[in-house]
């Protein structure tokens, strides 16, 4: 219980005035192979990089305060470590609200799979069983 309360307080403090920035907070919730996107410029850079490197980009549109987003974040981080052939991003829908609206985000988390700049699939929700299956299928398809 203490660990969960501690994370809650860190998230609350980040959102309401603590010096910890959102990228640092997201990094704690996800993993080392997940790129945190808080600007349009960083989105465009990663999209260009994924296209150049022939990688499918997995974009998790998320918020650091949402229970479902926080619950799936460790799984997402593990998947990013397991599938280095894919590029994993977490997009902060609060920081990039207008951008997120352009992707028609109706719930968080929402995962988009993007190849060569185009959406090839989508997954909505924090299902810890189905998300790994979806990502495994996408990773397998990139090897064909």
């Amino acid at each position: 219980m203490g660990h969960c309360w501690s994370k809650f307080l860190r998230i609350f403090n980040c959102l309401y005035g603590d010096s910890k920035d959102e990228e640092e907070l997201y990094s704690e919730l996800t993993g080392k192979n997940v790129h945190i996107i808080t600007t349009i410029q960083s989105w465009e850079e990663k999209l260009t990089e994924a296209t150049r490197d022939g990688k499918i980009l997995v974009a998790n549109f998320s918020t650091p305060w949402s229970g479902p987003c926080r619950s799936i974040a460790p799984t997402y981080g593990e998947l990013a470590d397991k599938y280095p052939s894919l590029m994993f991003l977490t997009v902060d829908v609060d920081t990039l609200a207008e951008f997120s609206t352009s992707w028609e985000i109706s719930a968080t988390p929402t995962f988009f799979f993007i190849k060569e700049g185009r959406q090839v699939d989508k997954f909505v929700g924090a299902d810890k069983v189905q998300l790994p299956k979806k990502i495994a299928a996408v990773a397998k398809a990139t090897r064909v």
Side-chain angles (χ1 to χ4, degrees):
M1 177 75 176
H3 179 67
C4 291
W5 182 248
S6 172
K7 278 203 173 193
F8 168 79
L9 288 175
R10 292 174 66 106
I11 292 167
F12 182 85
N13 287 335
C14 173
L15 294 173
Y16 298 101
D18 190 357
S19 62
K20 188 173 288 290
D21 69 11
E22 291 178 22
E23 283 194 37
E24 187 176 346
L25 179 63
Y26 269 118
S27 295
E28 289 178 10
L29 295 175
T30 56
K32 63 182 184 223
N33 289 326
V34 177
H35 305 279
I36 310 305
I37 304 299
T38 57
T39 67
I40 299 295
Q41 180 182 349
S42 61
W43 167 266
E44 291 173 351
E45 288 170 359
K46 290 301 178 186
L47 184 60
T48 298
E49 182 182 331
T51 300
R52 181 193 66 221
D53 296 346
K55 291 186 173 188
I56 290 184
L57 187 145
V58 184
N60 171 13
F61 284 77
S62 183
T63 61
W65 50 264
S66 160
C69 294
R70 287 195 330 264
S71 75
I72 199 69
T75 302
Y76 187 66
E78 291 168 11
L79 292 165
D81 292 341
K82 185 175 180 177
Y83 296 103
S85 63
L86 306 177
M87 180 181 290
F88 289 78
L89 309 180
T90 293
V91 178
D92 185 328
V93 300
D94 289 333
T95 302
L96 294 175
E98 189 174 320
F99 176 71
S100 299
T101 300
S102 73
W103 282 85
E104 299 178 358
I105 304 300
S106 59
T108 58
T110 297
F111 303 87
F112 287 96
F113 300 85
I114 302 164
K115 182 176 183 179
E116 297 174 357
R118 290 187 301 274
Q119 178 186 332
V120 294
D121 210 340
K122 177 179 174 180
F123 181 87
V124 179
D127 189 322
K128 293 179 184 178
V129 173
Q130 293 303 314
L131 181 62
K133 288 180 182 179
K134 173 69 79 174
I135 289 176
V138 168
K140 184 177 179 183
T142 63
R143 287 182 257 151
V144 174

